[in-house]
Amino acid sequence: MWHVLLVDFEEVDESLLDALPTVGSVVIFLASAFAYLASIAIAIGMVGVMYGYSYSYSNRELRLGRTVRARTAARRVCNAARRRDGPANGIPQRVEAAVPALLTEGHERAEGDDCTICFQPTEFPVNRHSKVYVCCTRRVCNGCTLAARQRGMYDCPFCRTPHPRGEAATLRMIRRRVRKGDVEAIKYLGSKYYFGSLGLPKYVPRAIQLWTEAAELGSLEAHHNLGDSYYFGRGAGVEVDKPRGIHHWEQAAMRGNAPSRHNLGYAESMERNNELAVQHYMISAKMGYKESLDAIKRRFMEGHATKAQYAEALRGYQDAVGEMRSSHREEAKRIET
């Protein structure tokens, strides 16, 4: 069968042989055209890729630029806040811009000074005329405690829990409240470490730690205690840090803590800022804080306060004291004396 595949070129038509160069040219032309079209397609693809890359790159640069601008703006805000509030340790510098806010806030007594039964503000000093019961960490004034005993209730006047027997039972009860995150219990335990009571050793660093935790949770009395410790350097191992002490007093004063407000007046008077000191004293005097009223009286006698300022402070003090009085409280005072 191989003879079928053999071709006798002598018998091939000469016209076909003449057409072979033409067919070859066509094939070459088609191949060239195909290659040209392929190159065009490749070029178009490369242009598209480059355009897409440049588009994504420009978008990335745009996003990056926005991010940089946002971070720059945030940094400017932080720097402005740092210049306004002080260094990075969280202790604000006492700049003049902060003084108006300090004087316009905290003119009303804090709710923590109110008795949880009669809802009246407690007389100063608060810890002498009221008691915090460790079972519920509620403050009850001496008048309501006396009224409860007159009715035959010798347990906690608020929650009716029997009183713990002994210092060990009291300590267990208060530590149970501390584990639950009770801010009043944390401050209370810090005070026991500070003075070394309830069988605890006197350990000021632990007291400062507990007071700091309570202050972060919103305890105004803890802020006041920290302010006293840092400003005056009270307690073993506590160095004098007046800016930090003033910072804690300010935090408490702007939320209605009268002793801290009075101490701010004292700090200003030590700096010979008598006008600002009198303004602080007037705020706390109108809350019923007698030490502030006496301070204004001394400033008046020294010529640093006007007669009108002293008269205004005296009227405000008398009004505040009148709001804190009750028949049971007066009876409790007579019994104590």
Side-chain angles (χ1 to χ4, degrees):
M1 64 182 218
W2 294 102
H3 68 278
V4 179
L5 300 176
L6 297 177
V7 180
D8 188 1
F9 289 97
E10 294 179 354
E11 298 179 357
V12 177
D13 192 357
E14 295 181 356
S15 62
L16 293 177
L17 296 176
D18 295 336
L20 286 177
T22 305
V23 173
S25 300
V26 172
V27 172
I28 293 173
F29 173 79
L30 293 176
S32 300
F34 178 78
Y36 177 75
L37 293 176
S39 63
I40 292 177
I42 293 174
I44 293 174
M46 292 181 64
V47 170
V49 170
M50 293 299 296
Y51 178 77
Y53 175 78
S54 62
Y55 179 77
S56 62
Y57 181 79
S58 62
N59 283 345
R60 184 174 66 87
E61 288 294 317
L62 181 61
R63 292 193 300 269
L64 181 60
R66 291 175 179 175
T67 303
V68 171
R69 288 193 297 272
R71 290 179 179 176
T72 302
R75 189 178 297 110
R76 289 175 180 173
V77 172
C78 292
N79 291 336
R82 187 175 292 108
R83 289 192 299 269
R84 182 183 67 250
D85 297 335
N89 58 5
I91 304 172
Q93 296 176 346
R94 305 180 66 250
V95 295
E96 294 298 328
V99 172
L102 182 62
L103 294 176
T104 56
E105 298 178 8
H107 287 227
E108 300 293 334
R109 290 279 299 274
E111 293 183 359
D113 291 344
D114 296 346
C115 173
T116 54
I117 294 180
C118 66
F119 299 107
Q120 284 183 288
T122 308
E123 297 176 86
F124 294 106
V126 174
N127 292 330
R128 181 187 300 174
H129 296 284
S130 64
K131 178 182 178 181
V132 175
Y133 288 84
V134 296
C135 51
C136 57
T137 62
R138 300 293 183 178
R139 184 176 299 278
V140 180
C141 69
N142 295 344
C144 290
T145 300
L146 176 63
R149 291 178 179 177
Q150 290 175 345
R151 291 172 173 81
M153 295 181 292
Y154 293 92
D155 298 332
C156 173
F158 183 79
C159 66
R160 303 295 189 266
T161 301
H163 297 303
R165 296 181 179 181
E167 292 182 345
T170 302
L171 188 58
R172 285 195 301 269
M173 188 172 288
I174 198 65
R175 279 178 169 167
R176 189 181 305 119
R177 302 290 304 182
V178 169
R179 287 193 296 270
K180 294 181 179 180
D182 190 316
V183 58
E184 184 66 27
I186 297 172
K187 184 270 302 178
Y188 184 92
L189 185 60
S191 300
K192 299 308 174 184
Y193 272 108
Y194 187 85
F195 294 104
S197 56
L198 286 182
L200 295 172
K202 187 175 182 179
Y203 189 36
V204 176
R206 177 58 175 163
I208 297 296
Q209 180 183 2
L210 290 169
W211 283 344
T212 303
E213 182 180 353
E216 292 174 352
L217 294 174
S219 173
L220 304 187
E221 191 170 349
H223 273 298
H224 173 72
N225 295 341
L226 290 171
D228 287 354
S229 299
Y230 287 124
Y231 188 89
F232 298 107
R234 293 176 179 172
V238 180
E239 297 181 358
V240 175
D241 191 345
K242 291 187 177 181
R244 178 174 292 184
I246 291 174
H247 164 66
H248 285 289
W249 285 342
E250 289 177 345
Q251 295 300 309
M254 288 191 294
R255 295 169 59 187
N257 186 265
S260 295
R261 177 70 70 176
H262 174 82
N263 289 351
L264 288 177
Y266 171 81
E268 294 295 345
S269 65
M270 292 296 100
E271 298 294 332
R272 300 295 187 269
N273 298 325
N274 293 303
E275 182 178 354
L276 189 57
V278 169
Q279 295 184 54
H280 284 302
Y281 286 143
M282 289 190 65
I283 295 174
S284 50
K286 293 179 181 179
M287 295 182 184
Y289 202 69
K290 190 175 187 302
E291 286 79 356
S292 296
L293 180 65
D294 295 338
I296 295 177
K297 183 178 179 180
R298 290 193 298 269
R299 298 300 180 279
F300 169 62
M301 296 175 64
E302 295 170 357
H304 299 303
T306 64
K307 183 178 180 179
Q309 287 177 324
Y310 177 64
E312 180 182 353
L314 181 60
R315 288 193 299 268
Y317 171 79
Q318 293 173 345
D319 293 340
V321 170
E323 294 178 357
M324 293 185 285
R325 287 177 178 170
S326 69
S327 58
H328 287 102
R329 291 183 178 183
E330 295 301 319
E331 185 177 356
K333 288 181 184 178
R334 290 194 297 269
I335 295 175
E336 290 178 358
T337 56

Coordinates of all heavy atoms in Angstrom, one line a residue, residues 3 39 44 52 61 67 72 91 102 127 142-143 176 280 284 291 294 297 327 333 336:
H3 N 2.7 2.3 -2.2 CA 2.8 2.9 -3.5 C 1.8 4.0 -3.6 O 1.9 4.9 -4.4 CB 2.6 1.9 -4.6 CG 1.2 1.3 -4.7 ND1 0.8 0.3 -3.8 CD2 0.2 1.7 -5.4 CE1 -0.4 0.0 -4.1 NE2 -0.8 0.8 -5.1
S39 N 0.9 40.8 19.7 CA 1.7 41.9 20.3 C 0.8 43.0 20.7 O 1.0 43.6 21.8 CB 2.8 42.3 19.4 OG 2.2 42.9 18.2
I44 N -1.9 45.9 25.0 CA -3.1 46.4 25.7 C -3.2 45.8 27.1 O -3.5 46.5 28.0 CB -4.3 46.0 24.8 CG1 -4.3 46.8 23.5 CG2 -5.6 46.3 25.6 CD1 -5.4 46.4 22.6
G52 N -4.1 49.6 36.1 CA -4.7 49.1 37.4 C -3.7 49.3 38.5 O -4.1 49.6 39.6
E61 N -1.9 55.4 48.0 CA -1.3 56.6 48.4 C -2.3 57.6 49.0 O -2.1 58.3 50.0 CB -0.6 57.3 47.3 CG 0.7 56.6 46.8 CD 1.7 56.7 47.9 OE1 1.9 57.8 48.5 OE2 2.4 55.7 48.2
T67 N -4.6 58.6 56.1 CA -4.2 58.0 57.4 C -3.2 58.9 58.1 O -3.3 59.2 59.3 CB -3.6 56.6 57.2 OG1 -4.6 55.8 56.6 CG2 -3.3 56.0 58.6
T72 N -1.8 62.8 62.1 CA -1.3 64.1 62.4 C -2.3 64.9 63.2 O -1.9 65.6 64.2 CB -0.8 64.8 61.1 OG1 0.1 63.9 60.4 CG2 -0.2 66.1 61.4
I91 N -1.1 63.9 85.5 CA -1.3 64.9 86.5 C -1.4 66.2 85.8 O -0.4 66.7 85.2 CB -0.1 64.9 87.4 CG1 0.1 63.5 88.1 CG2 -0.3 65.9 88.5 CD1 1.3 63.3 88.9
L102 N -13.0 74.7 87.4 CA -12.8 74.3 88.8 C -13.7 75.1 89.8 O -14.1 74.5 90.8 CB -11.3 74.4 89.2 CG -10.9 74.0 90.6 CD1 -11.2 72.5 90.8 CD2 -9.4 74.3 90.8
N127 N -17.2 61.5 109.2 CA -17.0 60.2 109.8 C -17.3 60.3 111.3 O -17.4 59.2 111.9 CB -15.5 59.8 109.6 CG -15.2 59.5 108.2 OD1 -16.1 59.0 107.5 ND2 -14.0 59.7 107.7
N142 N -25.8 59.3 112.6 CA -26.0 59.0 114.0 C -27.4 59.1 114.4 O -27.9 58.4 115.2 CB -25.1 59.8 114.9 CG -23.6 59.5 114.6 OD1 -23.2 58.5 114.0 ND2 -22.8 60.4 115.1
G143 N -28.1 60.1 113.8 CA -29.5 60.2 114.1 C -30.4 59.0 113.7 O -31.2 58.6 114.5
R176 N -14.7 40.5 101.7 CA -15.6 39.9 100.8 C -16.2 41.0 99.9 O -16.4 40.8 98.7 CB -16.7 39.2 101.6 CG -17.7 38.4 100.8 CD -18.8 37.8 101.6 NE -18.2 37.0 102.7 CZ -18.4 37.3 104.0 NH1 -19.2 38.3 104.4 NH2 -17.9 36.5 105.0
H280 N -12.4 79.6 96.7 CA -12.5 78.2 97.1 C -13.1 78.1 98.5 O -14.0 77.2 98.8 CB -11.1 77.5 97.1 CG -10.6 77.2 95.8 ND1 -11.3 76.3 94.9 CD2 -9.5 77.6 95.1 CE1 -10.6 76.2 93.8 NE2 -9.5 77.0 93.9
S284 N -16.8 76.0 99.8 CA -16.9 74.9 100.8 C -17.6 75.5 102.1 O -18.3 74.7 102.8 CB -15.5 74.4 101.2 OG -14.6 75.5 101.5
E291 N -14.4 75.1 108.9 CA -13.0 75.5 108.7 C -12.9 76.5 107.6 O -12.1 77.4 107.7 CB -12.1 74.3 108.4 CG -11.9 73.4 109.6 CD -13.1 72.5 109.9 OE1 -14.1 72.6 109.2 OE2 -13.0 71.6 110.9
D294 N -14.1 79.9 108.9 CA -13.1 80.5 109.8 C -12.0 81.1 108.9 O -11.4 82.1 109.3 CB -12.6 79.5 110.8 CG -13.7 79.0 111.7 OD1 -14.7 79.7 111.9 OD2 -13.5 77.9 112.3
K297 N -13.0 84.3 107.5 CA -13.0 85.3 108.6 C -11.6 85.9 108.8 O -11.4 87.1 109.0 CB -13.6 84.7 109.9 CG -13.7 85.7 111.0 CD -14.3 85.1 112.2 CE -14.4 86.1 113.4 NZ -15.0 85.4 114.6
S327 N -34.0 66.3 114.6 CA -34.2 66.1 116.0 C -33.4 64.9 116.5 O -32.8 64.9 117.6 CB -35.7 65.9 116.3 OG -36.2 64.8 115.5
K333 N -26.3 63.9 119.4 CA -25.2 64.7 119.9 C -25.2 64.9 121.4 O -24.1 64.8 122.1 CB -25.2 66.1 119.3 CG -24.9 66.1 117.8 CD -25.0 67.6 117.3 CE -24.8 67.7 115.8 NZ -24.9 69.1 115.3
E336 N -23.9 61.7 123.0 CA -22.4 61.5 122.9 C -21.7 62.4 123.9 O -20.6 62.0 124.4 CB -22.0 61.9 121.5 CG -22.5 60.8 120.4 CD -22.1 61.3 119.0 OE1 -21.5 62.4 118.9 OE2 -22.3 60.5 118.1

